[in-house]
């Protein structure tokens, strides 16, 4: 109303009229007056129809009125509400008015330079109708639709609709009128014109270097391009399922498993990560570990290449596996015996001192590269930083070997002691396993949960904040709250949370964003906590578990004879000291990735600007030699390589491989062998895991029983599907998955054992868990009723049991 009530500035009005006069000197007086807001068409929001445009404006007064109406349309109720819903601040928007000669269109429509349905970048989609095209925008007509293969210049699909209405000019504006009966079923666009439009679309996309939404019109056989803007919410290309995929070992007669470090690589790897981390970083760190152990024991016979001739880790169909085959020579065996005979010396080696060397050295490397001036660093330096940080994370992982090894070894050792004749008679019925003792310890996971619960409690204490949070999409939550004075402390709290925990990984592949970059899963969990407060605060639950643990220990010790008591106390002392380290090590894994991704983003942006790749994120789909070649060319002014097609090919291959379900072990029935010794306890799935019938079996990793529906979560894209009070079913979990545990009443995974991330966190949250079933995500669907026994290691699919009874 304020816009419409006031007169335009005299000088501005004169300038607009002069421009209008010049525009219409060689044509009729009709123009289109279009709104173009600065906040339109963000990657997560399309503002189509939120602001107004006007067609067939034919004189100066009508033009000035149309300009004011365009400006005013930025402040309608619908526009303000939509911006608030999307989290766009009122003072962050402005609006330009574009005045164009009106095309007397016989047909018009919209062209998407990439297929918005399947995401394929080599296909364009054209919608066409009779008249000015406003009937398409307004939804009054179903348009003709053409899908064109841009590279081959072939029309793939042609759907001709019955078009009953069209927008036409009048003496003072436009109106909707019926399409003549004889034209309703005719195509509004000739094939040749559709192919020419596709060519124009490709040129426009190449100019902007991104997929575009283009409005066009045809008059007297000529094509006019009216406007172009980025496509919003374009899906990734849907990959074609790979055919005839086989899971064979990297080298014949060897065994490979998805265990240990690769449990944190749930998806196929990006080429750059595979090279710099899996092949180079972990290999170098393994050799350093072997050298340090050899020096400690005074032996030189333990050689990495002799013991693991095919490497520590490799990929099969793009998925990471660690070796399960070790070549044992007499010299290697003697070296290992010497090392274990002097194992206590390992505590004196600085390379394995987690608190004084391993973690501080890793954090120092991160700090050094985080301080790099990105804009002035050359491309070779950026790549060097990525390489060194990848190596530093691998060194951190193997530097934690003592702490991890003790936590890995002591847990099953303690469990066996509990089941032995020395202790089992002293245990209460039903006899608990080690997981009943390994609860209630302090951990970063519980710290994070307590901080999130505190934020949720603050929000619930304010009815207006609670209403705001529950009524806002998670994507817009931070922005919306930042625009509300009452919400600012919450935003600050979330930022503090991300500063403390945001480095945690969804996926160890640094091509994937960290929690700080993609806090959506965190915000989903926060909304769930606001809507449904936990039945018991995490600190209260931890205190109860700690008390129950201590009571169990006291009760057990009191019932033991003096010899058994001494043995129990000794094993328990070391077990409780090192068990929590497993989660501590996991918490810092991938800490370098926020810095790596800053370096890679800068490098990718430069390569994209130079035309080497199509998108900055495609830098992860090159190898270091290819990046170096491009960097050298940029520095010397030489001919730049074009890796855009190669990067797209690798990107699409990785996307297709994501549809695969990797075998936990290759070959399927293999086991870890150290010379002649089988170490089945370290398999990612039990040897006797049952995958047929209504009961699945796996590792019993967290005590308790529960019956509830399942929420099957395959990746972070599915986090919004996690329902409070359900059993979380997934392939595996990584540290950034921890917020989901606050909503879960149980956990079931495909891979992992008693020392996997998920088992440790499940114990801390006090929920039963069964890991390493091998087939949970294949056999279980969301909503199915499950009964899991965290003591027996079984998962019963109650829907299948009921179906069998009915039959």
């Amino acid at each position: 109303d304020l816009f419409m009530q006031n007169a335009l500035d005299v000088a501005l009005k004169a300038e607009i009229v002069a421009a209008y006069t010049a525009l219409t000197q060689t044509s009729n007086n009709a123009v289109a007056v279009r709104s173009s807001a600065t906040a339109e068409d963000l990657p997560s929001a399309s503002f189509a129809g939120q602001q107004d445009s006007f067609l067939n404006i034919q004189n100066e007064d009508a033009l000035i009125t149309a300009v004011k109406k365009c400006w005013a349309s930025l402040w309608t109720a619908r526009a303000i509400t939509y911006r608030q819903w999307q989290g766009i601040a009122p003072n962050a928007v402005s609006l330009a008015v574009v005045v164009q000669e009106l095309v007397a269109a016989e047909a018009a429509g919209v062209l998407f330079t990439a297929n918005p349905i399947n995401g394929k970048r080599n296909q364009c989609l054209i919608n066409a109708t009779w008249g000015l095209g406003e009937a398409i925008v307004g939804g009054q007509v179903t348009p003709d639709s053409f899908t064109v293969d841009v590279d081959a210049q072939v029309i793939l699909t042609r759907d001709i609709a019955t078009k009953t209405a069209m927008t036409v000019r009048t003496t003072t504006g436009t109106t909707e009128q019926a399409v003549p009966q004889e034209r309703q079923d005719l195509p509004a666009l000739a094939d040749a014109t559709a192919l020419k439009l596709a060519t124009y679309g490709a040129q426009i996309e190449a100019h902007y270097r991104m997929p575009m939404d283009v409005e066009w019109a045809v008059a007297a056989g000529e094509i006019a391009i009216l406007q172009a803007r980025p496509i919003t919410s374009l899906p990734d290309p849907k990959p074609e399922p790979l055919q005839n995929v086989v899971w064979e070992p990297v080298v014949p007669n060897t065994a490979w498993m998805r265990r240990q470090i690769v449990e944190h690589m749930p998806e196929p790897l990006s080429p750059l990560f595979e090279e710099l981390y899996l092949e180079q970083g972990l290999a170098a760190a393994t050799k350093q570990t072997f050298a340090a152990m050899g020096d400690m024991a005074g032996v030189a016979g333990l050689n990495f290449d002799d013991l693991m001739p095919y490497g520590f880790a490799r990929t099969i169909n793009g998925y990471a596996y660690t070796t399960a085959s070790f070549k044992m020579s007499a010299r290697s065996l003697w070296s290992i015996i010497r090392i274990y005979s002097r194992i206590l010396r390992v505590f004196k080696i600085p390379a394995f001192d987690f608190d004084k060397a391993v973690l501080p050295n890793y954090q120092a490397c991160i700090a050094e590269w985080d301080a790099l001036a990105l804009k002035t660093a050359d491309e070779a330096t950026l790549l060097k930083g990525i390489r060194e940080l990848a190596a530093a994370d691998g060194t951190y992982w193997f530097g934690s070997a003592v702490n991890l090894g003790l936590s890995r070894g002591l847990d099953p050792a303690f469990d066996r002691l509990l089941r032995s004749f020395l202790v089992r008679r002293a245990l209460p019925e039903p006899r608990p396993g080690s997981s009943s003792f390994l609860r209630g310890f302090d951990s970063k996971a519980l710290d994070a949960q307590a901080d999130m619960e505190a934020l949720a409690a603050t929000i619930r204490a304010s009815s207006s904040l609670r209403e705001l949070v529950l009524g806002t999409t998670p994507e817009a939550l931070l922005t919306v709250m930042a625009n509300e004075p009452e919400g600012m402390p919450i935003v600050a709290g979330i930022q503090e949370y991300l500063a403390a925990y945001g480095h945690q990984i969804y996926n160890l592949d640094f091509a994937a964003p960290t929690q700080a970059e993609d806090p959506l899963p965190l915000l989903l969990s926060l909304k769930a906590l606001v809507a449904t407060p936990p039945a018991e605060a995490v600190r209260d639950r931890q205190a109860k578990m700690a008390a129950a643990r201590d009571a169990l220990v006291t009760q057990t010790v009191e019932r033991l004879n003096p010899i058994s008591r001494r043995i129990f106390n000794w094993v328990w002392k070391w077990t409780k000291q090192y068990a929590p380290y497993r989660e501590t090590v996991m918490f810092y894994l991938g800490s370098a990735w926020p810095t790596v991704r800053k370096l890679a983003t800068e490098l990718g942006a430069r390569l994209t600007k130079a035309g080497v790749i199509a998108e900055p994120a495609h830098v992860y789909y090159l190898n270091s030699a290819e990046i170096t070649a491009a960097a050298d060319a940029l520095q010397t002014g030489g001919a730049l390589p074009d890796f855009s097609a190669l990067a797209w090919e690798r990107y699409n291959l990785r996307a297709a491989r994501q549809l695969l379900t990797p075998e936990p072990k290759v070959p399927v029935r293999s086991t870890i062998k150290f010379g002649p010794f089988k170490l089945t306890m370290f398999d990612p799935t039990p040897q006797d895991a049952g995958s047929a019938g209504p009961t699945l079996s796996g590792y019993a990793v967290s005590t308790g029983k529960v019956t509830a529906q399942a929420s099957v979560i395959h990746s972070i894209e599915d986090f919004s599907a996690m329902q409070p009070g359900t059993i979380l079913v997934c392939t595996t979990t990584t540290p950034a998955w921890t917020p989901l545990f606050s909503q879960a009443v149980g956990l079931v995974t495909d891979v992992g054992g008693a020392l996997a991330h998920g088992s440790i966190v499940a114990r801390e949250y006090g929920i039963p868990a069964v890991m390493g079933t091998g087939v949970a995500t294949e056999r279980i669907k969301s909503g199915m009723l499950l009964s899991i026994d965290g003591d027996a290691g079984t998962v019963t699919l109650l829907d299948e049991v009921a179906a069998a009874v009915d039959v």
Side-chain angles (χ1 to χ4, degrees):
D1 288 346
L2 291 172
F3 274 99
M4 299 311 299
Q5 290 167 10
N6 284 275
L8 223 59
D9 176 82
V10 174
L12 179 57
K13 179 178 180 180
E15 191 173 354
I16 293 173
V17 170
Y20 170 69
T21 303
L23 178 67
T24 56
Q25 277 181 345
T26 59
S27 64
N28 61 50
N29 291 333
V31 293
V33 183
R34 299 179 181 272
S35 296
S36 182
T38 57
E40 279 192 353
D41 303 319
L42 302 173
S44 61
S46 172
F47 285 71
Q50 294 304 313
Q51 281 78 51
D52 293 331
S53 292
F54 303 91
L55 303 182
N56 198 27
I57 303 302
Q58 298 189 32
N59 58 63
E60 296 173 3
D61 290 340
L63 172 61
I64 298 303
T65 300
V67 169
K68 290 168 60 177
K69 286 182 176 180
C70 282
W71 284 334
S73 69
L74 192 63
W75 303 104
T76 61
R78 72 183 182 200
I80 292 170
T81 302
Y82 190 80
R83 286 197 298 272
Q84 182 176 14
W85 186 69
Q86 289 291 341
I88 296 172
N91 59 358
V93 295
S94 56
L95 187 142
V97 179
V98 180
V99 181
Q100 299 174 306
E101 178 185 346
L102 182 71
V103 177
E106 299 148 10
V110 179
L111 159 71
F112 290 89
T113 66
N115 194 321
I117 298 172
N118 59 27
K120 291 185 177 180
R121 269 58 170 181
N122 65 333
Q123 295 179 3
C124 75
L125 182 68
I126 303 171
N127 284 343
T129 193
W130 298 115
L132 294 176
E134 288 300 294
I136 292 180
V137 177
Q140 285 91 20
V141 65
T142 299
D144 296 341
S145 181
F146 299 80
T147 304
V148 179
D149 184 318
V150 179
D151 297 332
Q153 278 289 289
V154 173
I155 296 176
L156 301 175
T157 64
R158 184 188 295 99
D159 296 316
I160 308 304
T162 299
K163 301 168 288 296
T164 57
M166 61 180 178
T167 305
V168 298
R169 296 173 61 187
T170 65
T171 55
T172 58
T174 63
T175 188
E176 301 299 320
Q177 73 175 34
V179 176
Q181 185 71 35
E182 65 274 12
R183 297 176 63 195
Q184 290 183 1
D185 294 319
L186 295 178
L189 199 62
D191 285 359
T193 307
L195 293 174
K196 193 172 183 180
L197 263 173
T199 301
Y200 286 163
Q203 293 172 359
I204 293 169
E205 181 179 278
H207 174 75
Y208 287 105
R209 302 190 65 78
M210 66 181 72
M212 301 294 288
D213 168 354
V214 180
E215 292 187 21
W216 55 269
V218 175
E222 293 293 322
I223 295 174
I225 301 299
L226 307 178
Q227 68 175 21
R229 57 192 177 191
I231 296 178
T232 59
S233 304
L234 185 66
D236 286 334
K238 295 181 179 178
E240 298 293 333
L242 297 172
Q243 303 297 321
N244 304 317
V245 175
V246 294
W247 296 90
E248 295 178 340
V250 177
V251 178
N253 301 317
T254 60
W256 301 83
M257 298 189 175
R258 285 184 57 73
R259 61 175 295 275
Q260 209 187 46
I261 185 71
V262 302
E263 289 179 12
H264 301 281
M265 306 172 197
E267 298 180 347
L269 304 185
S270 65
L272 191 62
F273 178 84
E274 180 177 354
E275 177 195 2
L276 298 187
Y277 192 87
L278 197 76
E279 295 177 2
Q280 296 180 11
L282 290 183
T286 308
K287 290 180 180 179
Q288 292 170 13
T289 301
F290 274 51
M293 297 290 279
D295 291 343
M296 176 269 296
V299 297
L302 187 59
N303 184 279
F304 168 82
D305 295 319
D306 289 344
L307 193 62
M308 291 183 255
Y310 310 113
F312 171 73
R314 302 280 289 272
T315 59
I316 301 174
N317 296 320
Y319 287 87
Y321 285 79
T322 57
T323 185
S325 296
F326 301 91
K327 191 173 182 180
M328 187 66 68
S329 65
R331 186 174 66 169
S332 295
L333 180 59
W334 171 245
S335 298
I336 291 171
I337 292 172
R338 291 264 296 177
I339 288 171
Y340 273 93
S341 70
R342 305 180 181 187
I343 195 65
L344 292 180
R345 294 185 183 182
V346 79
F347 294 100
K348 299 179 181 180
I349 303 177
F352 298 124
D353 190 327
F354 182 84
D355 295 307
K356 294 182 180 179
V358 176
L359 181 58
N361 290 345
Y362 183 34
Q363 291 175 327
C365 182
I366 296 170
E368 176 186 350
W369 283 104
D370 199 45
L372 180 71
L374 293 180
K375 298 302 179 183
T376 57
D378 60 28
E379 292 77 20
T381 301
L382 296 172
L383 178 59
K384 180 184 177 185
I386 298 170
R387 188 190 303 276
E388 289 191 4
L389 289 167
D393 192 86
T395 300
Y396 165 78
W397 172 262
F398 276 98
S400 306
V402 171
N403 297 62
L404 288 175
L406 285 169
S407 66
R408 283 178 179 276
L410 287 168
D411 188 338
F414 182 62
D415 192 67
R416 289 192 175 189
L417 176 64
L418 295 177
R419 300 177 192 279
S420 72
F421 72 93
L422 294 170
V423 176
R424 65 171 179 259
R425 293 180 181 275
L427 297 174
E429 293 290 345
R431 289 172 181 165
S434 63
S435 64
S436 297
F437 289 82
L438 298 175
R439 290 182 161 196
F441 296 112
D442 289 332
S443 73
K444 295 290 186 179
L446 295 183
D447 292 344
Q449 179 63 19
D451 289 349
M452 192 188 300
E453 286 183 7
L455 282 170
T458 303
I459 293 169
R460 288 196 304 271
S462 166
S463 58
S464 58
L465 263 185
R466 184 179 185 278
E467 182 180 350
L468 181 65
V469 168
L470 296 181
T472 304
T473 61
E475 294 85 350
L477 195 56
L478 285 172
T479 308
V480 168
M481 286 197 296
N483 291 327
E484 298 291 335
E486 194 179 6
M488 286 300 295
I490 303 300
V491 173
I494 293 173
Q495 290 171 340
E496 289 176 8
Y497 180 98
L498 292 174
Y501 311 108
H503 65 272
Q504 293 184 102
I505 54 169
Y506 300 109
N507 184 337
L508 188 53
D509 189 333
F510 49 51
T514 60
Q515 189 180 69
E517 281 186 273
D518 183 8
L520 180 59
L522 164 69
L523 298 173
L524 285 165
S525 296
L526 180 61
K527 282 194 66 170
L529 283 172
V530 172
T532 309
E536 188 174 34
V538 65
R539 292 304 187 197
D540 294 339
R541 187 172 68 246
Q542 180 191 8
K544 285 184 178 180
M545 288 191 297
R549 175 200 68 211
D550 293 342
L552 181 60
V553 171
T554 300
Q555 178 183 358
T556 303
V557 168
E558 288 175 348
R559 293 180 176 181
L560 291 172
N561 63 56
I563 296 176
S564 296
R565 182 182 303 125
R566 188 169 185 176
I567 295 172
F568 177 90
N569 284 336
W570 188 84
V571 176
W572 171 239
K573 170 189 172 182
W574 289 96
T575 300
K576 71 177 180 179
Q577 179 176 342
Y578 282 96
Y581 265 107
R582 172 68 177 174
E583 191 58 26
T584 301
V585 171
M586 292 300 102
F587 177 76
Y588 292 104
L589 185 67
S591 292
W593 287 183
T595 304
V596 166
R597 288 181 58 80
K598 283 199 305 184
L599 300 176
T601 298
E602 176 66 24
L603 182 56
R606 295 185 192 183
L607 298 183
T608 301
K609 184 177 180 180
V612 176
I613 52 179
E615 298 180 7
H618 283 188
V619 70
Y620 299 111
Y621 296 89
L622 302 181
N623 59 43
S624 61
E626 291 158 350
I627 294 174
T628 298
D632 290 345
L634 284 171
Q635 289 298 312
T636 62
L640 285 163
D642 184 355
F643 294 130
S644 54
L646 178 63
W648 268 119
E649 180 182 344
R650 291 170 178 168
Y651 175 91
N652 290 331
L653 176 60
R654 182 170 180 248
R657 283 173 165 168
Q658 286 176 324
L659 302 178
L660 301 174
T661 300
E663 295 288 352
K665 300 185 288 187
V666 177
V668 175
R669 302 305 301 175
S670 60
T671 189
I672 299 176
K673 294 181 68 177
F674 204 70
F677 305 106
K678 292 183 178 181
L679 304 177
T680 57
M681 70 168 116
F682 295 120
D683 284 3
T685 57
Q687 286 289 310
D688 58 351
S691 59
T695 299
L696 311 180
S697 60
Y699 290 115
V701 299
S702 185
T703 188
K705 299 177 182 179
V706 68
T707 298
Q709 290 183 318
S711 285
V712 182
I713 308 297
H714 295 281
S715 66
I716 61 172
E717 285 76 18
D718 302 332
F719 274 28
S720 60
M722 181 68 198
Q723 297 297 315
T726 60
I727 296 170
L728 171 60
V729 179
C730 54
T731 300
T732 187
T733 68
T734 57
W737 284 58
T738 303
L740 292 188
F741 284 75
S742 65
Q743 303 171 55
V745 296
L747 172 69
V748 179
T749 71
D750 289 342
V751 298
L755 294 163
H757 167 265
S759 64
I760 305 298
V761 178
R763 293 172 188 171
E764 293 167 351
Y765 277 75
I767 60 175
V770 176
M771 303 189 75
T773 64
V775 295
T777 57
E778 290 185 35
R779 293 286 309 279
I780 301 170
K781 306 298 179 186
S782 289
M784 289 179 63
L785 190 63
L786 310 179
S787 179
I788 68 175
D789 187 331
D791 298 298
T794 59
V795 183
T796 303
L797 283 57
L798 296 178
D799 293 341
E800 292 191 7
V801 172
V805 171
D806 291 340
V807 172

